[in-house]
Amino acid sequence: MKILKFGGTSVGSAERMREVANLIHNDEPKIVVLSAMSGTTNALVQIAEKLYLNLNEEANAQIDALHDTYKQVVAQLYTSENKQKQANELLNHHFEYLRAFTQDLFTVHEERAVLAQGELLSTALFQFFLEEQSINSVLLPALNFMKIDENEEPDVTYIEKNLAAELEKYTGTNLFITQGYICHNAFGDIDNLKRGGSDYSASLIGAAANASEIQIWTDIDGMHNNDPRIVKNTYPIAQLSFDEAAELAYFGAKILHPSSVLPAKQKNVPVRLLNTMQPEAKGTLISAESQGGSIKAVAAKDGITAIKIKSGRMLLAYGFLRSVFEVFERYKTPIDMITTSEVAVSLTIDNPKNLEAIVSELKTFGQVEVDHNQTIICVVGDFMAERTGASLKIFDALKDIPLRMISYGGSENNMSMLINASDKVTALTKLNDGIFERNTAHA
Ligand code: ASP
Ligand code: MG
């Protein structure tokens, strides 16, 4: 069994949906996981914002606009009148459901139900299309098996058991379609795996089904060695280990949701990143194997806040760091980077939501400084294999850029530097010239 996940752009129009149907039309057993059509989740987020503010007229106007977009898709996608009718009835059903929210109290529960409509629509429309093409497939409702627990972590046992039960109902079926992103939560409400979460769905489903491979189909030919939006002449990385891919996904490579590496790694299911627009391209294979011997990629993560705690007391006395970490734990705020010295500890967070409260608690330990607008530059590769020389190349490339923090040795795969966001473009460009210039063979 293979899992094939198609992102928003890959199902973003009638034309693209047809392409996806072509790509999946063979006898290989598979579960196809779809995102919402591109732009839909963003539109639903905006609609929810309006509903929160009780701006019902504006919400309705946006709902109508989205409905119109979908009507056009329906007009373009199906050839038979019968399917057009069926699909339009489906649209009416979902958009009436959305319009109903304008009449009532709007809370986070309603918001999640609103956000779920994108994936429910894309999968249902796609299933209708397969039916019209006489391609035998079954639409599996993700809400029947995808679940998160009280800590908003996937309930892996539940997913495994319930997915197996769903699949068992359809022995002899080779093609299943299901929704990415959406799930139930511990309280039985509709919920989601956070923005971009369809990759995570695919990985969880792949792990639960013990799949032979998880394919993530997007609109770029794999994970690149540097940010293609910023640096010219980047190239797709042919192979990455699970750990290298996790570092890259977490520290900036937008192509893969950071959480989606772990479930695959735990069950040792290879993940292949492929391009719907260029299906023959090799893409990136992520597996337990490490090719070693090189710096593989550079990525940047923006929106970082750095916090420095200077303490008059013996900073590294035992127990001190624990007290600091407990503050972050209380506010459910993950720490990305950390460096220590005898008199101070610096760390970074990417979620400043509780920054004020965190800082005021940290002040009980000493003097606290906060720097906003920071960027983590992350260099990923096999530093075990390239123990000597790699850092020289990296720091030489960055010699004109002020480095606020440096982190190395946390894993064998990552060296991270914290810089001002305004230096990001220079840093990525200089690193590209300094590290990858001799790798032209890839280009
Ligand atoms: N549709 C959701 C989003 O836009 C989930 C996904 O596409 O992965 O965030
Ligand atoms: Mg995505």
Side-chain angles (χ1 to χ4, degrees):
M1 176 79 89
K2 284 189 179 170
I3 314 300
L4 283 75
K5 179 258 167 176
F6 292 89
T9 357
S10 303
V11 291
S13 64
E15 189 48 43
R16 299 250 58 93
M17 285 216 195
R18 269 188 220 110
E19 295 284 329
V20 172
N22 279 337
L23 278 170
I24 63 168
H25 190 204
N26 54 43
D27 287 337
E28 225 172 19
K30 59 178 84 68
I31 302 176
V32 173
V33 179
L34 299 185
S35 292
M37 295 180 77
S38 51
T40 301
T41 311
N42 285 343
L44 293 170
V45 167
Q46 286 178 8
I47 290 166
E49 279 168 7
K50 298 278 154 27
L51 290 170
Y52 267 122
L53 297 170
N54 247 315
L55 298 170
N56 288 348
E57 239 170 75
E58 290 176 34
N60 265 331
Q62 287 187 340
I63 294 169
D64 290 344
L66 192 62
H67 193 167
D68 285 343
T69 315
Y70 273 86
K71 282 183 199 160
Q72 284 169 28
V73 173
V74 166
Q76 289 160 6
L77 185 58
Y78 309 100
T79 43
S80 71
E81 242 173 65
N82 189 19
K83 275 293 172 221
Q84 298 248 356
K85 185 163 167 274
Q86 211 181 339
N88 274 314
E89 277 166 13
L90 175 97
L91 295 190
N92 288 342
H93 170 79
H94 283 274
F95 284 96
E96 277 316 313
Y97 178 77
L98 286 174
R99 285 183 194 102
F101 287 114
T102 57
Q103 291 149 26
D104 223 335
L105 191 70
F106 199 76
T107 71
V108 67
H109 305 285
E110 282 76 25
E111 179 184 14
R112 289 170 185 152
V114 166
L115 295 183
Q117 299 309 306
E119 272 71 13
L120 293 171
L121 278 166
S122 64
T123 47
L125 292 175
F126 188 65
Q127 171 68 16
F128 285 163
F129 180 68
L130 296 177
E131 284 167 15
E132 190 176 65
Q133 301 295 307
S134 306
I135 299 172
N136 190 14
S137 65
V138 167
L139 180 60
L140 286 185
L143 296 177
N144 287 0
F145 57 87
M146 287 302 281
K147 193 176 166 197
I148 49 174
D149 62 20
E150 314 77 60
N151 300 316
E152 303 193 348
E153 292 296 330
D155 187 337
V156 176
T157 323
Y158 180 97
I159 296 171
E160 216 165 281
K161 187 169 146 247
N162 286 274
L163 176 62
E166 284 292 312
L167 294 174
E168 230 164 68
K169 291 185 201 162
Y170 308 100
T171 41
T173 301
N174 271 339
L175 177 57
F176 296 94
I177 313 298
T178 194
Q179 300 85 18
Y181 180 59
I182 64 173
C183 59
H184 270 127
N185 62 27
F187 314 102
D189 289 335
I190 294 184
D191 211 323
N192 60 64
L193 300 176
K194 308 270 155 50
R195 295 306 305 273
S198 292
D199 296 344
Y200 197 17
S201 302
S203 181
L204 290 165
I205 292 170
N210 262 315
S212 58
E213 184 169 296
I214 298 160
Q215 299 181 351
I216 307 286
W217 289 82
T218 64
D219 51 3
I220 180 168
D221 52 355
M223 232 187 233
H224 277 227
N225 66 316
N226 202 328
D227 192 331
R229 293 163 304 182
I230 293 177
V231 178
K232 273 190 233 133
N233 300 325
T234 63
Y235 52 82
I237 312 161
Q239 203 277 337
L240 284 169
S241 69
F242 285 120
D243 291 342
E244 289 167 342
E247 302 271 15
L248 271 180
Y250 188 72
F251 288 108
K254 290 282 175 304
I255 175 172
L256 187 65
H257 187 282
S259 307
S260 52
V261 178
L262 189 64
K265 180 186 167 176
Q266 281 171 339
K267 290 284 185 83
N268 196 14
V269 183
V271 179
R272 213 179 272 279
L273 308 179
L274 293 161
N275 185 357
T276 332
M277 319 290 166
Q278 210 188 323
E280 63 295 337
K282 274 180 59 197
T284 300
L285 176 66
I286 301 165
S287 69
E289 261 163 62
S290 175
Q291 283 186 335
S294 65
I295 297 175
K296 298 263 179 67
V298 176
K301 184 169 175 167
D302 296 318
I304 303 294
T305 307
I307 303 167
K308 184 192 280 176
I309 306 129
K310 272 185 166 174
S311 176
R313 283 179 271 156
M314 268 289 281
L315 182 84
L316 294 179
Y318 61 82
F320 181 83
L321 284 176
R322 192 192 59 202
S323 323
V324 169
F325 290 153
E326 275 171 355
V327 174
F328 290 85
E329 195 183 336
R330 271 198 292 286
Y331 291 98
K332 294 197 167 158
T333 302
I335 296 168
D336 282 333
M337 269 176 92
I338 167 154
T339 55
T340 60
S341 83
E342 182 57 17
V343 294
V345 48
S346 270
L347 39 83
T348 70
I349 58 172
D350 69 353
N351 178 0
K353 197 174 135 211
N354 296 311
L355 183 63
E356 233 176 275
I358 290 172
V359 169
S360 84
E361 285 203 31
L362 290 176
K363 281 190 175 151
T364 58
F365 304 128
Q367 202 184 322
V368 181
E369 281 168 34
V370 176
D371 286 323
H372 301 278
N373 289 327
Q374 304 287 300
T375 291
I376 294 175
I377 299 288
C378 165
V379 182
V380 166
D382 186 345
F383 289 102
M384 267 313 256
E386 198 162 339
R387 220 175 200 155
T388 53
S391 47
L392 182 63
K393 272 192 239 168
I394 293 168
F395 291 122
D396 190 41
L398 297 176
K399 63 175 179 273
D400 297 323
I401 294 171
L403 306 179
R404 166 81 169 70
M405 284 168 72
I406 299 168
S407 165
Y408 172 63
S411 85
E412 287 150 17
N413 303 114
N414 171 339
M415 186 182 288
S416 299
M417 278 72 56
L418 188 72
I419 60 170
N420 268 320
S422 54
D423 288 326
K424 174 174 98 167
V425 173
T426 321
L428 289 180
T429 313
K430 295 270 181 185
L431 281 169
N432 214 53
D433 298 344
I435 297 174
F436 301 114
E437 62 182 353
R438 283 169 294 277
N439 277 352
T440 38
H442 290 273

